Amino acid sequence: SVLPLAPEIDFMLQSSLHCKVPNGAIDITSLFINLNASTDAPHFVMEFIQGSPTSMVVLLDLLPRKDLALHPEYIEKYYGNTEADKQRKIIEELPQARPYLSPSLFVRSAFSPTAVFFTIDCGQGGESVLEEIVHGHLASVVKGLLQIWLGTCAGDTSEVDEGEREIMVKRDRTVRSKSIEVDLTANLPRMFGPDVSGRVIAEIRKAFGVEEA
């Protein structure tokens, strides 16, 4: 009930995908909360990819909207002062966690240095251990990052210079379009077939404002 009250929110996209595969099933749960051009505050990104009862990939971030190397004050405001990296370290310290590297160099470059990108693998017979992690450490980290985002980003009223706004809007659009290309367009057709995946991708493009010409 809190999120729709923030005028800076452009749109929210929540999706849950389930696909049967020869060795079981893949479940992908995603939440994207994108802010509009009235603020340069980061977007909120959450994605869980579970390919077995004992392992999953976790992607969580306050997605930056500026070139961080050119704007150190942006890093300090949204990542340093908020101590966002403490949330990443909670998962990093789990013995079952190891860093996840996306095969896409673009995806790696688009996220923040405090992004929570991990594979959690509890090994054979580790179903109950994974469930404990999900409901314990992972739930705590999600809540922690969402609270940071709600408190620092969703209600941000900082004015954005017109020139910087144009650059930011272009960056947002490029990130959204490229993310669809390297993630959905590359993977959904082989999971759900061309017809279903085509309709899903078209709707996501429409929500993201990056329809194909």
Side-chain angles (χ1 to χ4, degrees), residues 70-135:
L70 293 178
H71 299 278
E73 75 286 348
Y74 192 92
I75 299 176
E76 192 64 21
K77 179 178 181 179
Y78 294 113
Y79 306 101
N81 292 342
T82 62
E83 299 185 326
D85 203 42
K86 285 187 175 180
Q87 302 301 323
R88 183 192 61 81
K89 289 179 179 178
I90 290 174
I91 303 300
E92 181 183 49
E93 291 171 359
L94 292 173
Q96 299 87 355
R98 67 178 187 275
Y100 169 76
L101 285 179
S102 169
S104 166
L105 296 178
F106 178 85
V107 169
R108 294 189 214 173
S109 71
F111 285 80
S112 83
T114 65
V116 181
F117 271 27
F118 288 96
T119 296
I120 300 175
D121 190 347
C122 299
Q124 187 174 0
E127 291 92 340
S128 61
V129 177
L130 180 62
E131 187 172 348
E132 288 177 10
I133 290 173
V134 168
H135 292 288

Side-chain angles (χ1 to χ4, degrees), residues 14-147:
Q14 188 277 329
S15 67
S16 296
L17 300 176
H18 175 81
C19 176
K20 291 183 179 179
V21 294
N23 295 326
I26 297 176
D27 291 283
I28 305 173
T29 301
S30 307
L31 174 64
F32 303 99
I33 312 177
N34 278 40
L35 298 176
N36 57 36
S38 68
T39 175
D40 61 8
H43 304 308
F44 182 82
V45 177
M46 179 186 81
E47 188 164 59
F48 302 144
I49 306 169
Q50 185 166 3
S52 83
T54 62
S55 66
M56 69 188 304
V57 173
V58 176
L59 311 175
L60 282 165
D61 196 23
L62 307 181
L63 187 68
R65 302 170 73 191
K66 285 190 172 185
D67 186 322
L68 298 183
L70 293 178
H71 299 278
E73 75 286 348
Y74 192 92
I75 299 176
E76 192 64 21
K77 179 178 181 179
Y78 294 113
Y79 306 101
N81 292 342
T82 62
E83 299 185 326
D85 203 42
K86 285 187 175 180
Q87 302 301 323
R88 183 192 61 81
K89 289 179 179 178
I90 290 174
I91 303 300
E92 181 183 49
E93 291 171 359
L94 292 173
Q96 299 87 355
R98 67 178 187 275
Y100 169 76
L101 285 179
S102 169
S104 166
L105 296 178
F106 178 85
V107 169
R108 294 189 214 173
S109 71
F111 285 80
S112 83
T114 65
V116 181
F117 271 27
F118 288 96
T119 296
I120 300 175
D121 190 347
C122 299
Q124 187 174 0
E127 291 92 340
S128 61
V129 177
L130 180 62
E131 187 172 348
E132 288 177 10
I133 290 173
V134 168
H135 292 288
H137 293 82
L138 185 54
S140 174
V141 168
V142 171
K143 290 176 183 176
L145 276 178
L146 187 56
Q147 286 173 350

